[in-house]
């Protein structure tokens, strides 16, 4: 049986130096390649970061411009809304003035055409319009015929007569109109007086009539006492 002997390679000094030099050159090449690759990667990363910063700055600028545009739109909308509300109020005031002028013309025509020589107090009409849930706007006109054309004080009382819980009930105007503190309502008129207000009826109350009484303060008995059918005008 043959014995295995270790393989021994003999290197000369020049060979060892060459081998070391080769290893050094290889390491230098690897290091150089790594340096250039790392430098390129760093450069690419820097360009990417710079691109992100540029995009961020542009987006921030667009956002700021959008905020300013939105603020301008909101301000314009507020101004438009304010102007619209002001216009609406002006239209309502004009409608009220027109209504009053129409009523005045109507009353003047009636007085000019009326050949009845009787004098006293009267209510020409009681006008009711729905204004909301259980809320109603009312208009009524007091007329006065006197031999002397002068302003006189008149006391007026108004009740809404109806049914609640199966029983008859009278609601005085000061109970259902927040603007009326107490009865009688004190009026001052020469020929007529146009009056307006809002009444809020309680739940479960079904109105049937509106009763109106008128009298001069120096006379205890009403000179006018009439019931008007509760009728909603369109």
């Amino acid at each position: 049986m043959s014995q295995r002997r270790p393989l021994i390679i003999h290197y000369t000094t020049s060979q060892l130096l060459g081998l070391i030099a080769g290893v050094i050159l290889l390491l230098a090449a690897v290091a150089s390649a790594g340096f250039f690759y790392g430098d390129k990667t760093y450069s690419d990363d820097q360009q990417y970061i710079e691109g992100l910063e540029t995009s961020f700055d542009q987006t921030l600028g667009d956002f700021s411009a959008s905020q300013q545009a939105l603020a301008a739109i909101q301000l314009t909308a507020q101004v438009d809304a304010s102007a619209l509300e002001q216009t609406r109020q002006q239209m309502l005031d004009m409608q009220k003035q027109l209504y009053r002028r129409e009523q005045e013309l109507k009353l003047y025509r009636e007085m000019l055409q009326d050949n009845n020589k009787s004098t006293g107090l009267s209510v020409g009409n009681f006008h009711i319009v729905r204004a909301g849930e259980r809320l109603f706007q009312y208009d009524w006109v007091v007329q006065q015929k006197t031999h002397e054309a002068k302003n006189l004080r008149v006391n007026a009382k108004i009740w809404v007569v109806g049914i609640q819980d199966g029983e008859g009930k009278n609601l005085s105007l000061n109970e259902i109109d927040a603007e009326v503190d107490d009865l009688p309502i004190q009026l001052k008129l020469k020929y007529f007086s146009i009056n307006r207000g809002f009444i809020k009826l309680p739940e479960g109350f079904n109105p049937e009539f509106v009763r109106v009484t008128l009298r001069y303060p120096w006379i205890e008995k009403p000179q006018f006492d009439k019931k008007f059918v509760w009728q909603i005008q369109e």
Side-chain angles (χ1 to χ4, degrees):
M1 183 176 179
S2 60
Q3 294 182 352
R4 301 181 64 180
R5 297 181 179 180
L7 181 61
I8 298 174
I9 300 175
H10 298 280
Y11 290 96
T12 63
T13 301
S14 59
Q15 289 177 330
L16 287 174
L17 291 175
L19 179 61
I20 293 171
V23 171
I24 291 173
L25 288 175
L26 179 62
L27 291 175
V30 171
S32 177
F35 173 77
F36 285 112
Y37 177 77
D39 183 66
K40 184 177 184 306
T41 302
Y42 175 77
S43 178
D44 292 341
D45 291 342
Q46 283 295 108
Q47 291 179 359
Y48 177 71
I49 292 173
E50 289 175 359
L52 288 179
E53 289 177 348
T54 302
S55 299
F56 175 77
D57 292 339
Q58 183 177 357
T59 303
L60 185 61
D62 293 342
F63 177 74
S64 178
S66 299
Q67 278 188 320
Q68 293 177 359
L70 178 60
I73 292 173
Q74 290 176 335
L75 180 60
T76 303
Q78 291 176 356
V79 172
D80 291 343
S82 177
L84 182 62
E85 178 62 22
Q86 185 177 2
T87 303
R88 190 182 72 85
Q89 290 295 333
Q90 291 176 350
M91 290 181 62
L92 290 176
D93 292 339
M94 291 179 63
Q95 288 176 350
K96 291 178 182 178
Q97 293 177 13
L98 287 173
Y99 174 79
R100 184 177 183 86
R101 296 293 181 268
E102 289 175 358
Q103 293 298 318
E104 289 176 354
L105 288 173
K106 179 181 177 182
L107 290 170
Y108 280 126
R109 290 194 187 100
E110 290 177 353
M111 286 188 291
L112 290 172
Q113 296 172 2
D114 189 5
N115 295 322
N116 189 355
K117 301 302 181 180
S118 63
T119 61
L121 298 170
S122 64
V123 175
N125 186 27
F126 202 97
H127 185 259
I128 304 171
V129 178
R130 187 182 301 277
E133 182 66 25
R134 311 294 295 177
L135 181 67
F136 302 89
Q137 179 180 333
Y138 65 91
D139 301 279
W140 59 294
V141 181
V142 181
Q143 293 176 265
Q144 173 182 242
K145 292 182 183 180
T146 63
H147 295 297
E148 298 180 3
K150 61 180 181 179
N151 289 324
L152 294 175
R153 288 190 297 115
V154 175
N155 290 342
K157 291 184 178 181
I158 298 177
W159 300 268
V160 177
V161 182
I163 304 295
Q164 187 169 27
D165 299 328
E167 298 181 358
K169 187 173 183 178
N170 296 342
L171 297 176
S172 61
L173 190 62
N174 58 304
E175 295 180 272
I176 52 180
D177 187 339
E179 298 298 323
V180 178
D181 295 328
D182 198 8
L183 296 182
I185 302 171
Q186 297 182 353
L187 305 173
K188 192 173 183 180
L189 61 146
K190 188 174 184 179
Y191 297 113
F192 59 88
S193 174
I194 301 175
N195 307 281
R196 173 176 292 176
F198 289 89
I199 56 178
K200 180 78 172 180
L201 297 180
E203 289 289 341
F205 180 81
N206 295 315
E208 295 181 343
F209 302 97
V210 177
R211 181 187 174 192
V212 182
T213 65
L214 302 172
R215 71 176 181 87
Y216 294 111
W218 58 87
I219 301 176
E220 293 185 2
K221 184 179 179 180
Q223 282 77 62
F224 179 86
D225 189 341
K226 183 177 179 179
K227 289 182 179 179
F228 297 88
V229 176
W230 180 274
Q231 185 175 1
I232 307 300
Q233 304 293 327
E234 298 297 336

